[in-house]
Amino acid sequence: MSKLLICDDDKGIRRTLQLHLESQGHQVETAADAESGIRLAQGYQPDIIILDICMQGLSGIDALPRFKAISPNSRIIMITAFQDMQSTISAMQNGADEYLHKPIDLDEFDQAIATALAQHLAVQNQDSLDTLCVPDTFGNSMVGASNAMKQVYKTIGRIAHTKASVLITGESGTGKEMVARAIHQAGMPAQAPFVALNCAALVDNLLESELFGHKKGAFTGAVSDQAGKFALAQGGTLFLDEVGELSAQIQAKLLRVLQEKTYTPLGSKTEYKADVRIISATNLNFEQAIKEKRFREDLYYRLQVVQIELPSLLERKEDLKELVPALLYRANKELGTKISKITKSAMDLLMDYHWPGNVRELENTLIKAVALCPSALLTEDLFADIKNKLDTQAKDEAYQVQPHKQDSSLQQIEYTHVKQVLSQVNNHKGKACEILQISRPRLQRILEREE
Ligand SMILES: Nc1ncnc2c1ncn2[C@@H]1O[C@H](COP(=O)(O)OP(=O)(O)OP(=O)(O)O)[C@@H](O)[C@H]1O
Ligand SMILES: [Mg+2]
């Protein structure tokens, strides 16, 4: 049984909500104005306060901080007949947990009560909390202590001081750019430049000029000399993001630069020395791209003197233990919030999800939850999107398993395969036997079995 307090000057509403809540087994007290509500709440310490905004005397908005002060563990649901944005905003800013409009929709009301109770319970039941140590400071260093990430750190340490080109591969959002910066920081003097270029973002002409620079008048619109990324990165690191997207033409030019260690700006006759470490990144399957002649093999070997493959988050879920606090620290800093805890059920939800967008998706999910979080505690309901996706994922899996089940005995697979081969050879049974490497009678038997 939970303790609720309804504070509303409308007798009808007090009565209706009280009966509704009592019928669900809750204990309910009521107050007709804010002052008496505050007095009542002090001793009663309700789990949830349902607070009207527009009341005689002290308004709900003005009473809100006082309710919070005398009954800090109460969840507060505001209700009002006014649909104005400003009161909604101030209510939420002052620490209301939910805001409902009159006339009250009972389904919506029940949902709000359920959520508020869950949050209240989570706060009360401290054992069920994963109290996270959100660190006080947090640099730009990578976190995650899984074996897979330890290997990555080791490789970074081993190769940072060499000039070897590095190719970083991994699904999107796995931290490729972070690794590139980490290699740069570990291996280069502090003042050395780190210059990044997204190879997928520009059309060829622009990309070429962006990479190598151009002289005034080299093409229409080239109104002055312009240094390229190679010049800017001189003595430091050039990070080529999405390098798999380079066109054949630029691939050829880049290869020449890497072989000869010199480059020529567009419209110039002078060759410049390229003293630049190249780190590139891609989420492309290079072997496939090379096979399909979309990427030059010789350039690939120049780029991947060292290759670092970043594991997906799915392969290292244990890293969530460190990633969540670190990303929460960043979210707090960005949003000016102070979230330091997450309930166990919320953390379990994050652990169950498959994170196709990897760390970036986790980061966005946490920022969103932090922005919507009414207290210092992240609860499961703040991750509704993830929960929905998890449910869909579960349904998809169940769906995929079904037709399999119906068609998974060896005999059935054999029959289906034989039928497929037959249709490929226009029912020529001799040819089918040759392909399947079986005798004619056996083919016949397989076909008869199912027909
Ligand atoms: N190990 C990590 N520790 C802390 N933050 C991380 C880690 N890995 C990734 N991030 C964060 O996740 C986000 C995505 O990382 P990053 O941009 O490096 O990924 P990416 O592989 O380059 O992604 P994309 O393929 O989408 O360009 C960044 O905000 C980054 O700070
Ligand atoms: Mg990136």
Side-chain angles (χ1 to χ4, degrees):
M1 185 175 67
S2 308
K3 295 192 290 181
L4 288 89
L5 169 65
I6 302 168
C7 187
D8 194 316
D9 60 354
D10 182 327
K11 195 171 170 195
I13 291 202
R14 279 204 307 276
R15 196 76 203 121
T16 314
L17 293 184
Q18 182 172 19
L19 286 174
H20 178 68
L21 289 166
E22 281 176 349
S23 76
Q24 296 176 343
H26 300 302
Q27 179 186 347
V28 184
E29 296 286 339
T30 60
D33 62 80
E35 292 290 357
S36 60
I38 292 167
R39 276 197 303 278
L40 191 65
Q42 191 154 22
Y44 181 47
Q45 294 291 310
D47 303 335
I48 301 180
I49 300 170
I50 297 150
L51 182 59
D52 184 27
I53 290 191
C54 202
M55 289 183 288
Q56 290 285 324
L58 192 61
S59 84
I61 297 269
D62 295 332
L64 188 56
R66 290 181 51 194
F67 273 110
K68 288 232 106 164
I70 55 116
S71 186
N73 290 327
S74 304
R75 300 272 125 183
I76 300 183
I77 300 175
M78 308 290 291
I79 44 174
T80 180
F82 293 104
Q83 304 264 353
D84 78 307
M85 181 180 74
Q86 201 45 53
S87 58
T88 317
I89 293 175
S90 1
M92 297 315 273
Q93 272 174 340
N94 284 327
D97 294 284
E98 187 52 276
Y99 190 100
L100 301 175
H101 293 291
K102 290 181 192 172
I104 289 172
D105 173 313
L106 276 186
D107 284 341
E108 201 187 347
F109 181 73
D110 286 344
Q111 180 61 45
I113 296 282
T115 305
L117 279 178
Q119 286 185 336
H120 179 77
L121 218 82
V123 178
Q124 293 309 297
N125 189 359
Q126 290 288 334
D127 322 318
S128 74
L129 288 185
D130 265 355
T131 307
L132 285 173
C133 303
V134 173
D136 290 338
T137 57
F138 181 73
N140 287 325
S141 56
M142 305 189 69
V143 299
S146 57
N147 280 336
M149 285 311 286
K150 279 188 197 144
Q151 287 306 325
V152 171
Y153 306 146
K154 262 192 224 161
T155 313
I156 294 176
R158 206 172 294 139
I159 54 106
H161 289 279
T162 71
K163 282 266 165 130
S165 302
V166 185
L167 175 68
I168 306 164
T169 57
E171 289 175 11
S172 112
T174 44
K176 297 186 290 295
E177 179 151 359
M178 260 199 130
V179 168
R181 288 182 190 274
I183 295 170
H184 172 78
Q185 271 161 17
M188 290 276 177
Q191 72 281 6
F194 177 93
V195 176
L197 177 68
N198 185 333
C199 301
L202 296 171
V203 294
D204 261 21
N205 292 346
L206 288 178
L207 187 60
E208 191 175 348
S209 133
E210 197 69 17
L211 273 170
F212 310 118
H214 64 249
K215 298 295 283 178
K216 179 177 172 181
F219 49 87
T220 339
V223 287
S224 57
D225 290 4
Q226 176 97 38
K229 299 290 188 196
F230 268 98
L232 296 172
Q234 186 73 1
T237 305
L238 175 57
F239 175 53
L240 299 175
D241 204 359
E242 305 203 40
V243 74
E245 301 303 317
L246 289 178
S247 69
Q249 189 194 346
I250 305 282
Q251 284 179 38
K253 296 206 162 150
L254 185 61
L255 178 66
R256 209 167 317 128
V257 175
L258 296 186
Q259 282 167 339
E260 286 157 26
K261 306 253 181 288
T262 59
Y263 65 95
T264 313
L266 285 172
S268 166
K269 295 204 169 58
T270 323
E271 276 195 341
Y272 294 85
K273 238 182 101 43
D275 172 25
V276 168
R277 179 190 205 155
I278 305 283
I279 302 181
S280 37
T282 185
N283 51 23
L284 191 82
N285 176 347
F286 257 119
E287 269 148 38
Q288 187 68 22
I290 290 168
K291 219 184 272 165
E292 290 167 10
K293 306 244 179 298
R294 281 183 291 124
F295 206 89
R296 298 177 67 121
E297 195 166 8
D298 42 9
L299 176 58
Y300 172 66
Y301 285 115
R302 287 273 170 185
L303 292 174
Q304 63 93 268
V305 177
V306 178
Q307 181 163 346
I308 297 182
E309 188 172 347
L310 278 180
S312 68
L313 191 50
L314 184 65
E315 297 165 74
R316 50 178 171 116
K317 287 257 191 84
E318 70 260 43
D319 283 352
L320 281 161
K321 283 200 292 289
E322 290 104 38
L323 277 169
V324 170
L327 297 172
L328 277 180
Y329 169 80
R330 272 195 239 164
N332 278 333
K333 203 164 150 195
E334 198 175 311
L335 302 176
T337 45
K338 286 205 179 82
I339 308 285
S340 55
K341 288 178 184 159
I342 182 165
T343 62
K344 187 163 178 322
S345 55
M347 196 63 197
D348 287 348
L349 183 65
L350 300 185
M351 289 297 270
D352 284 346
Y353 184 56
H354 55 302
W355 300 112
N358 296 294
V359 187
R360 187 188 302 287
E361 187 182 9
L362 175 66
E363 187 173 30
N364 292 339
T365 302
L366 288 172
I367 288 185
K368 210 163 129 187
V370 164
L372 294 173
C373 183
S375 62
L377 174 73
L378 289 179
T379 46
E380 201 183 345
D381 56 289
L382 294 164
F383 299 102
D385 285 0
I386 295 296
K387 205 168 162 48
N388 286 340
K389 284 189 214 162
L390 248 180
D391 291 346
T392 321
Q393 183 192 349
K395 265 190 227 129
D396 283 356
E397 277 165 14
Y399 183 74
Q400 275 164 17
V401 168
Q402 279 236 322
H404 243 83
K405 262 197 212 128
Q406 290 164 358
D407 197 22
S408 59
S409 84
L410 200 53
Q411 290 199 346
Q412 281 155 346
I413 293 169
E414 204 177 35
Y415 175 73
T416 316
H417 183 59
V418 166
K419 279 297 232 188
Q420 259 171 15
V421 171
L422 270 172
S423 85
Q424 277 163 18
V425 295
N426 290 328
N427 265 330
H428 192 298
K429 291 193 172 150
K431 270 189 195 157
C433 286
E434 229 174 272
I435 294 171
L436 293 163
Q437 297 191 354
I438 55 172
S439 66
R440 190 74 177 242
R442 177 148 179 221
L443 178 82
Q444 209 51 47
R445 276 199 306 275
I446 293 171
L447 291 174
E448 278 161 9
R449 201 162 57 205
E450 294 284 337
E451 275 162 8

